[in-house]
Amino acid sequence: MRDIAVSEYYFCKQMLDHLYKITVNINVADRKALVVSYREDDSIVGRELSLEGFADNFDELDAEAREKLSELLSAASLSEVYNSGAVKKICFTVQPKHNIYDKYTIALYPDRREGKIYMTVVDYELTDNVISLMFKKHTVNINLADIFYVDYGNHSVEMHTVNGRSSFFSVSFSDVADRLLKHRNFLRSYKNCIVNMDHVRSITDDMFILDNGESISIPKRRLKEIKRSYDNYQLMK
């Protein structure tokens, strides 16, 4: 089986921006890859995708990720997966966008009855218990379980953890919030504050009381909604 023909640069860039939650069918017979689902953008479904030189289209990939991706999608690798019938997966990290690292898993699932390989690309934030941020050109890994709450103030994202408070001036609060709110134990208290419900000792009429003794205010207009979310989370633990 030969490599699949090269696709347009802009489509690869677009794919990286929304890399997770995509499924592609690689047709072994005619060596074409067809997008069958692509996050929430139906207009992408039905597009043909090339895998030859795929990793070289992404400036954001570091050398290790580029090598992993190139090896996985090479002709030899695809042939091995198809002929062996064995699933093959890799995980890799993309250089930080807005100083937050993106982490992905790509998996190849052979289906010899249909003459295809199914390729899925997903983010693995939900199975990864660390958020990785860039600070002064260095990576800072923060365990999600250690976070009491995150808020925004003094033009920085403030991480309040069991190890103290850390300030990140070049990180977007909305990007951090998007990452944390994928996890069931994180809940938005007010616009610029995300609370880890695993560290909530109790809720009053207007406050979260955390197990480190701090209090986080709750807007009155959201009190019922927040209490319901907290109670539901406790029931599901």
Side-chain angles (χ1 to χ4, degrees):
M1 183 172 59
R2 297 176 301 169
D3 282 332
I4 299 169
V6 178
S7 66
E8 313 95 322
Y9 172 80
Y10 82 89
F11 181 58
C12 287
K13 293 287 289 183
Q14 183 182 23
M15 184 178 173
L16 184 63
D17 289 339
H18 302 282
L19 197 55
Y20 50 93
K21 297 180 183 176
I22 183 171
T23 303
V24 173
N25 287 350
I26 302 173
N27 192 304
V28 178
D30 59 16
R31 301 177 299 280
K32 292 183 179 179
L34 185 69
V35 177
V36 295
S37 66
Y38 189 7
R39 208 181 184 189
E40 298 174 356
D41 189 348
D42 291 338
S43 67
I44 302 300
V45 174
R47 289 286 301 271
E48 286 188 0
L49 175 67
S50 165
L51 301 182
E52 182 182 349
F54 181 77
D56 295 331
N57 288 290
F58 302 120
D59 298 331
E60 294 87 346
L61 293 180
D62 59 25
E64 182 180 359
R66 195 182 306 278
E67 183 178 351
K68 282 184 177 181
L69 198 54
S70 296
E71 191 282 327
L72 180 73
L73 301 178
S74 67
S77 174
L78 294 177
S79 294
E80 176 188 352
V81 169
Y82 183 74
N83 292 329
S84 69
V87 175
K88 191 171 185 179
K89 297 182 181 181
I90 63 165
C91 298
F92 64 94
T93 300
V94 176
Q95 292 177 2
K97 180 179 181 182
H98 300 149
N99 294 315
I100 303 178
Y101 286 89
D102 292 314
K103 304 172 184 179
Y104 301 104
T105 298
I106 293 184
L108 301 177
Y109 299 90
D111 185 343
R112 299 183 66 177
R113 292 175 301 176
E114 298 291 333
K116 295 178 180 179
I117 297 174
Y118 299 96
M119 181 177 79
T120 62
V121 186
V122 296
D123 66 340
Y124 63 88
E125 290 297 320
L126 292 179
T127 59
D128 185 38
N129 296 316
V130 174
I131 184 169
S132 301
L133 308 175
M134 180 71 78
F135 181 74
K136 294 182 178 180
K137 297 183 179 180
H138 296 285
T139 305
V140 177
N141 296 312
I142 300 174
N143 290 320
L144 300 186
D146 291 342
I147 297 173
F148 290 116
Y149 66 99
V150 180
D151 61 1
Y152 182 81
N154 298 320
H155 306 290
S156 70
V157 172
E158 305 287 333
M159 288 274 185
H160 303 261
T161 74
V162 296
N163 298 313
R165 185 179 72 177
S166 300
S167 301
F168 297 87
F169 291 93
S170 57
V171 174
S172 162
F173 179 80
S174 63
D175 287 345
V176 172
D178 285 346
R179 296 298 177 85
L180 296 181
L181 292 174
K182 292 178 182 178
H183 300 263
R184 293 176 49 250
N185 55 310
F186 285 94
L187 177 67
R188 189 185 296 275
S189 176
Y190 53 89
K191 182 179 179 181
N192 290 329
C193 184
I194 307 292
V195 174
N196 185 349
M197 290 187 284
D198 288 337
H199 286 293
V200 172
R201 182 187 303 164
S202 61
I203 298 181
T204 68
D205 287 340
D206 59 357
M207 291 282 183
F208 281 113
I209 309 300
L210 305 182
D211 53 23
N212 68 346
E214 291 191 66
S215 301
I216 305 297
S217 63
I218 301 173
K220 288 185 178 180
R221 69 181 184 279
R222 297 195 60 227
L223 181 60
K224 288 184 178 180
E225 172 193 348
I226 286 175
K227 280 189 172 181
R228 182 168 58 251
S229 296
Y230 177 74
D231 289 342
N232 288 339
Y233 175 69
Q234 294 303 313
L235 288 172
M236 296 297 291
K237 284 177 67 174

